Amino acid sequence: MDEKKIARAEHRYARISPRKAELICKMIRGQKADYAMALLEHTPKMGCELVIKVLKSAMANAENNFEMDPEKLYVSKSYCTGGPILKRGMPRAQGRMYRINKRTSHIIVEVAEKE
């Protein structure tokens, strides 16, 4: 059987909450790579810049490491998982501290070639 080649790239410990990044990942899942890139470039969300970098890297990996045709690439998987949480504090009334969670995420994008 012919194995399906998959190229992947990931951005670990990205300083964006996984909830926000997953919205963007869901938007490009299953799209052609060129269309996904255009979609990300014209979407006014903070996490789009991070996902663009990961998508470009995955496309470059596919072209250079697996000799895939860049015209036939599509986003086979695109997801975001939670990373470690940076715990910070803010002073509150009567000497108390209010905890602030600064969340990080791992953004993973996989591209494959359409037959």
Side-chain angles (χ1 to χ4, degrees):
M1 271 204 182
D2 189 27
E3 288 279 324
K4 190 175 186 181
K5 288 190 273 185
I6 294 173
R8 77 181 288 202
E10 59 184 80
H11 181 351
R12 294 175 53 80
Y13 309 107
R15 264 295 288 122
I16 185 171
S17 115
R19 189 173 175 179
K20 292 175 186 175
E22 183 60 35
L23 283 173
I24 299 159
C25 290
K26 196 182 290 185
M27 191 170 64
I28 64 167
R29 198 174 298 142
Q31 304 289 343
K32 281 192 68 184
D34 299 333
Y35 179 75
M37 187 66 73
L39 202 61
L40 290 172
E41 286 171 353
H42 293 12
T43 303
K45 284 196 167 288
M46 180 197 121
C48 282
E49 294 173 13
L50 300 170
V51 179
I52 283 173
K53 287 177 90 168
V54 180
L55 180 58
K56 278 184 182 175
S57 178
M59 288 168 68
N61 289 344
E63 193 174 348
N64 295 320
N65 300 346
F66 299 105
E67 289 91 31
M68 292 187 203
D69 183 16
E71 298 296 315
K72 295 181 183 175
L73 292 178
Y74 77 102
V75 181
S76 59
K77 282 186 186 173
S78 166
Y79 58 96
C80 177
T81 58
I85 299 170
L86 305 172
K87 296 173 180 81
R88 301 292 180 256
M90 177 175 268
R92 302 304 282 184
Q94 298 178 0
R96 292 186 178 93
M97 184 195 81
Y98 177 73
R99 188 155 111 190
I100 297 173
N101 291 331
K102 295 186 178 276
R103 298 184 186 275
T104 62
S105 53
H106 306 313
I107 302 167
I108 295 103
V109 175
E110 292 184 2
V111 294
E113 210 170 28
K114 264 252 199 314
E115 275 89 44

